[in-house]
Amino acid sequence: MYATERQAHITRHLAERGRVSVVELADDLSVTTETIRRDLAALEQQGILRRVHGGAVPLRTGSVVEPSIAERMMVNADAKRAIAHRALDAITDGYRGAVVFDAGSTVGAIAAGLGERVAATGARLDVVTHAVPVAHTLSLLPDIGLTVLGGQVRGLTAAAVGTSTLSALASLRPDLAFIGANGLSADFGLSTPDPAEAAVKAAIVRSSRRVVVVADQAKFGVESFVRFAQLSDIDVLVTDAAPESSLADALEAADVEVWIA
């Protein structure tokens, strides 16, 4: 296979997955990892991608770059629906409790499936969220109690942030939290580009008895600008592919359950 063909393959998979792995690409294309690294270097010089530890991400995926909620909903949509379906297993038969929903497209997919899960399990939930799209979805469900936290709404994510949001979260002790992340790495933990959004995520993590993080494989190895939690702060990671060895080892050391959708 010529270099141009390999690089076209890499570019296509990057667009589909949001991240590519050197090892996986080498296996897919039956070439050495050194060959893949040269291809990634060439594509980086062309302005197509940015190399990160173990692979590459799209060029615009810098530590402070943040896509809008509308853009996120279009990326890896099938994977996010599968992750959401698996994450809802955290709500077991007859579950009783308070649940916090973070902002984000994958968490939004969980909210979209909550009504069916409640009907199937007989769960009785009091739900809290600071995310406007999630609040709208949950407001249509007749069998849950819904509290919407106020604050300054960020246009990019349609989520409330700021002092009033943080103050409200500090007074809560929910049983379960569903939370998203822009980045998930062995060394840096969980991260997101915006400091205000990170503060809210950190407050959710601190306040919740059980934290379920939902993140597709495109987030693996990504380190966004602001860390909001260590791996040891979370209980479950729900994702669409097994993490690479370094991240898998770090998750195991932190006693994090990994659920594959």
Side-chain angles (χ1 to χ4, degrees), residues 60-67 154 156 192-195 223-226:
R60 68 174 187 165
T61 312
S63 66
V64 296
V65 175
E66 185 176 13
R154 294 186 68 222
L156 201 60
T192 197
D194 183 73
E223 297 179 350
S224 289
F225 182 47
V226 186

Side-chain angles (χ1 to χ4, degrees), residues 155-224:
L156 201 60
T157 60
V161 297
T163 303
S164 58
T165 312
L166 297 175
S167 178
L169 284 167
S171 67
L172 301 177
R173 186 65 166 150
D175 301 289
L176 177 66
F178 292 114
I179 191 165
N182 295 74
L184 178 70
S185 77
D187 295 329
F188 196 58
L190 295 97
S191 54
T192 197
D194 183 73
E197 198 98 29
V200 174
K201 289 177 181 290
I204 292 173
V205 171
R206 284 194 303 271
S207 68
S208 302
R209 291 188 170 92
R210 183 169 172 83
V211 178
V212 177
V213 172
V214 289
D216 60 68
Q217 61 182 305
K219 313 297 173 52
F220 294 170
V222 175
E223 297 179 350
S224 289

Side-chain angles (χ1 to χ4, degrees), residues 232-251:
S232 58
D233 294 325
I234 69 174
D235 300 291
V236 180
L237 168 65
V238 189
T239 186
D240 60 327
E244 297 176 6
S245 58
S246 60
L247 179 55
D249 290 345
L251 289 163

Side-chain angles (χ1 to χ4, degrees), residues 5-85:
E5 294 175 298
R6 290 195 308 271
Q7 291 167 19
H9 174 92
I10 292 169
T11 302
R12 182 171 63 254
H13 278 251
L14 185 64
E16 292 171 352
R17 302 174 184 174
R19 177 183 170 86
V20 290
S21 160
V22 169
V23 174
E24 290 179 356
L25 288 171
D27 288 342
D28 289 346
L29 299 173
S30 300
V31 297
T32 65
T33 55
E34 288 76 13
T35 297
I36 295 299
R37 289 191 179 95
R38 287 196 295 269
D39 288 332
L40 294 181
L43 291 168
E44 187 174 47
Q45 289 180 346
Q46 296 171 37
I48 293 173
L49 54 77
R50 181 173 63 89
R51 286 181 291 174
V52 296
H53 179 70
V57 295
L59 182 65
R60 68 174 187 165
T61 312
S63 66
V64 296
V65 175
E66 185 176 13
S68 69
I69 187 66
E71 290 175 308
R72 293 185 201 181
M73 290 174 66
M74 300 297 292
V75 176
N76 294 340
D78 290 341
K80 290 174 181 178
R81 282 191 290 270
I83 291 168
H85 182 76

